Amino acid sequence: MGQDITIVGTRRSQGGMVRSRIRVVILVMLAIFALVGFRLTQYGQVQPATTIEGRERAAIEASRPALLDRNGLELAVDIRVPSIFGEPRRIVDIEEAVTKLRSVLPELDEDALRMRLTGDKGFVWIKREVSPSVRDQIMSLGLPGIDYLTESKRFYPGGTESSHLVGTTNIDSQGISGMEKALDDTGVALLQTIGLAREQKLSPVRLSIDLRVQYAMWAGLSDALTRYQAIASAGVMLNAKTGEIIGLVSLPDFDPNDPATALLEGRLNRITAGSYELGSTFKSIAFAAALDSGKVSLLDSFDASAGVRFGRFTITDFHGQNRVLTVPEIYKYSSNVGAIRMVQALGKDEYRAFLTRIGFDDILPTELPERAKTNVPAKFSEVTAATAAFGHGLSITPLHMAAAMVALVNGGNYIVPTLYPRSLEDAQATNRRVVSAETSARLRYLMRLNALDGSGTRMNKIANGYRVGGKTGTAEKVVDGRYSSEKNLNTFAAAFPIDDPQYVLLVIVDEPKAESPQAGTTAGWNAGEVVGRIIQRTAPMLGIAPNFDDSLDDLLVPPELRSSTLSASMPLG
């Protein structure tokens, strides 16, 4: 009996312990559920981040307008790519998140990732611009606080060929060079920030570039680097009627799809961001100034039988004729002495004023942000004016010279170059006259004369039939403060067809070597040849047919020469 009572008491005691344990378990479970519920309530109250490491989400998810050439071919487009981000305030288990993320993205540094995911930050990047398959793997991990958004990545179908003019963007889709930066400066960045540029809503932007011409120029200039063992080459083609830039190439270039390559040595846009002494191409400027003043005419002659002395220095000709030269002969033989005599007849102050008129004082107001200042002395001494007659002692950008040549061949009207399409009517409404139509006609005659019987004959032979006129420039480079006779920057400025110029093409070749033992290193042997090859290839693209009618050359001869004895010695046809 007593034993039964003991057993019953024990059973009651054990039952009470079980119930107590059950109550403890229930209380613990309730506490856990309460904690989880509290945390879930906290997470539910966390507002989605509106900024991502200082940038508005609207700007990150925004698109950029496509860049097209004048014919609608794509130069730059957006592609949509996923990027992985984390919200540390929503992450439950940091170690789990780090381990699982690195199982898909093993290249991530473990400590750096842990540090980024720790804390109360609203939004941090984990990996930008991943593939869709990587995105899907990460999303399948089911990690709280880990998500993705789709942002725009810039893609450049044209590759390196148009890199300096199109430019590139950074990883945040912000323009950092070229026309990409120009777009941001004109309002695209604002549209992105306020959320009006999402999902390809921005209209494409058409440029003046002809991608066919661009590639042909790139190929010709790339060939020049190899053929002449040059350290750099560059070129620009302008519409002589509207000022539109049809092609612009500078080598070495870079891959805009890999923006870091733009930081490599020598990746400079030499057409707009390089300022150089352009040598005897400057003689076209000096001739225009002298002829337009009326103080010099094509019928005049100047003594080039000896050098011009300034103190202990004497300026001579490279290939001196050592005689009196007519004005056309001075141009044809590229006589430094003759050009100096002409500028002296004009007057140093008038010559300096003409350089202002032709736009050489100021930075060219083109769309590209990469723009160099010119270096033209504010006042000319007699020596400065003399050396400036053949392009020494002052520096300008190649685009300055190309724009000036447009004015000198199109009838005398200066047009600011542009990378946007421009109608003839708009160009005529904004241009300004810098020389008379008669002076322009005389320059066209001189340029054609130089192509037929001067330093441009090699160019003319290659571009046979496309009626080109032009002027060479061979400038010794300054090395350690002194002009080097072994290193040249060579230039050729041309217009075609010269009887009614539609396009101006300027090419520079930096430090060329002779192509063969029989060849030279002056501009006619390299920059001139490059011009000829580019024109021969691009003229048909531009709708210009070859014309072998030599009688058209006779029409270029100015009236004063037709009735003079000089016409026999300066024939064109």
Side-chain angles (χ1 to χ4, degrees):
M1 182 75 176
Q3 184 178 4
D4 291 340
I5 293 172
T6 301
I7 292 173
V8 170
T10 300
R11 288 177 177 173
R12 287 177 179 175
S13 176
Q14 289 176 341
M17 291 176 63
V18 170
R19 285 191 294 273
S20 296
R21 289 174 179 173
I22 291 174
R23 283 195 292 268
V24 170
V25 170
I26 290 174
L27 289 174
V28 170
M29 294 294 292
L30 288 174
I32 291 174
F33 282 125
L35 178 61
V36 170
F38 175 72
R39 292 293 289 169
L40 289 175
T41 300
Q42 277 190 318
Y43 290 140
Q45 291 175 345
V46 175
Q47 298 298 317
T50 59
T51 61
I52 303 174
E53 299 191 355
R55 293 197 71 220
E56 294 291 333
R57 289 185 64 158
I60 292 174
E61 297 176 304
S63 301
R64 297 181 64 82
L67 288 176
L68 310 178
D69 88 330
R70 65 187 306 110
N71 300 310
L73 298 177
E74 292 176 336
L75 295 166
V77 295
D78 273 359
I79 56 176
R80 307 294 286 176
V81 294
S83 290
I84 309 301
F85 67 87
E87 296 178 272
R89 289 178 295 188
R90 294 178 180 270
I91 295 175
V92 176
D93 189 331
I94 291 177
E95 292 304 320
E96 178 192 28
V98 170
T99 301
K100 288 187 174 181
L101 285 171
R102 292 189 72 250
S103 70
V104 180
L105 299 169
E107 69 274 15
L108 296 180
D109 180 85
E110 181 177 349
D111 293 336
L113 179 60
R114 183 180 293 109
M115 185 176 299
R116 290 182 70 77
L117 297 181
T118 301
D120 197 38
K121 295 184 287 292
F123 192 111
V124 294
W125 288 117
I126 294 174
K127 181 73 173 181
R128 299 184 72 174
E129 298 179 359
V130 301
S131 66
S133 63
V134 168
R135 173 202 59 194
D136 293 343
Q137 291 179 63
I138 290 177
M139 290 300 98
S140 68
L141 298 175
L143 293 171
I146 304 299
D147 207 341
Y148 77 95
L149 59 75
T150 301
E151 57 179 331
S152 294
K153 175 181 173 64
R154 207 60 162 164
F155 177 66
Y156 301 91
T160 62
E161 286 89 340
S162 55
S163 57
H164 282 294
L165 68 92
V166 173
T168 190
T169 58
N170 61 18
I171 197 169
D172 289 321
S173 199
Q174 297 169 318
I176 56 176
S177 65
M179 289 303 293
E180 291 283 30
K181 188 175 190 308
L183 284 179
D184 286 2
D185 293 342
T186 56
V188 168
L190 176 61
L191 293 176
Q192 291 178 328
T193 300
I194 63 179
L196 297 180
R198 294 190 183 189
E199 299 180 2
Q200 305 289 1
K201 289 185 179 179
L202 296 181
S203 299
V205 174
R206 195 175 296 259
L207 302 182
S208 61
I209 296 301
D210 187 319
L211 197 53
R212 303 167 304 166
V213 172
Q214 181 73 16
Y215 178 76
M217 290 178 60
W218 179 87
L221 290 164
S222 297
D223 174 71
L225 290 182
T226 303
R227 186 186 296 261
Y228 308 114
Q229 302 175 55
I231 65 170
S233 62
V236 61
M237 184 183 292
L238 299 176
N239 185 309
K241 306 294 185 182
T242 65
E244 295 167 293
I245 298 175
I246 306 301
L248 187 155
V249 178
S250 181
L251 301 175
D253 52 18
F254 63 94
D255 183 359
N257 293 305
D258 183 9
T261 59
L263 302 177
L264 297 175
E265 185 179 359
R267 270 59 180 180
L268 166 74
N269 182 352
R270 287 167 168 79
I271 297 299
T272 64
S275 184
Y276 310 99
E277 293 188 2
L278 295 179
S280 289
T281 53
F282 232 91
K283 289 191 175 85
S284 294
I285 307 301
F287 272 65
L291 293 172
D292 202 61
S293 71
K295 295 181 178 181
V296 176
S297 80
L298 293 180
L299 297 174
D300 289 334
S301 299
F302 293 89
D303 186 2
S305 59
V308 181
R309 290 188 60 84
F310 291 96
R312 60 190 180 90
F313 297 102
T314 301
I315 300 174
T316 60
D317 288 335
F318 183 67
H319 288 303
Q321 300 301 303
N322 302 314
R323 61 179 174 84
V324 173
L325 297 176
T326 65
V327 168
E329 286 179 324
I330 293 171
Y331 196 89
K332 183 178 75 169
Y333 294 124
S334 197
S335 169
N336 295 338
V337 174
I340 291 171
R341 300 298 189 198
M342 290 176 59
V343 167
Q344 288 174 336
L346 168 66
K348 61 182 179 63
D349 293 334
E350 284 198 46
Y351 184 38
R352 182 60 185 85
F354 185 80
L355 300 188
T356 298
R357 194 195 318 171
I358 207 74
F360 287 172
D361 287 348
D362 304 316
I363 294 176
L364 270 178
T366 58
E367 294 83 9
L368 289 177
E370 297 82 19
R371 300 189 296 246
K373 294 181 179 179
T374 61
N375 182 16
V376 181
K379 292 186 178 181
F380 276 2
S381 65
E382 293 294 341
V383 176
T384 305
T387 58
F390 54 93
H392 280 230
L394 72 176
S395 60
I396 59 173
T397 73
L399 189 57
H400 275 91
M401 179 59 76
M405 295 304 297
V406 165
L408 297 189
V409 302
N410 73 2
N413 298 307
Y414 186 89
I415 313 170
V416 175
T418 181
L419 274 159
Y420 290 122
R422 178 191 284 153
S423 69
L424 181 60
E425 292 73 19
D426 287 341
Q428 292 173 340
T430 58
N431 65 25
R432 58 185 176 84
R433 181 165 293 282
V434 291
V435 296
S436 67
E438 292 76 17
T439 298
S440 177
R442 293 180 180 108
L443 261 294
R444 294 196 297 271
Y445 159 76
L446 292 171
M447 291 170 68
R448 183 58 175 163
L449 174 67
N450 189 56
L452 292 173
D453 197 29
S455 60
T457 54
R458 301 182 67 82
M459 174 278 299
N460 187 62
K461 183 177 179 180
I462 295 172
N464 187 30
Y466 291 108
R467 316 195 54 72
V468 186
K471 184 71 186 76
T472 52
T474 303
E476 294 180 346
K477 295 179 67 174
V478 176
V479 179
D480 296 329
R482 300 171 63 91
Y483 285 105
S484 170
S485 60
E486 298 179 352
K487 295 183 178 181
N488 295 336
L489 179 75
N490 292 351
T491 310
F492 199 103
F496 66 102
I498 195 63
D499 45 297
D500 182 20
Q502 303 297 311
Y503 298 96
V504 164
L505 173 62
L506 183 142
V507 161
I508 62 173
V509 181
D510 197 354
E511 296 187 22
K513 309 295 188 299
E515 185 179 3
S516 68
Q518 296 75 35
T521 58
T522 52
W525 289 92
N526 39 73
E529 290 187 348
V530 177
V531 165
R533 294 187 194 100
I534 291 175
I535 291 174
Q536 194 272 337
R537 186 170 179 179
T538 60
M541 300 175 184
L542 298 167
I544 298 175
N547 189 326
F548 299 93
D549 183 1
D550 291 339
S551 65
L552 293 175
D553 285 332
D554 291 332
L555 300 177
L556 290 171
V557 179
E560 63 266 34
L561 292 185
R562 293 178 191 170
S563 59
S564 77
T565 57
L566 283 179
S567 61
S569 60
M570 296 288 117
L572 289 182

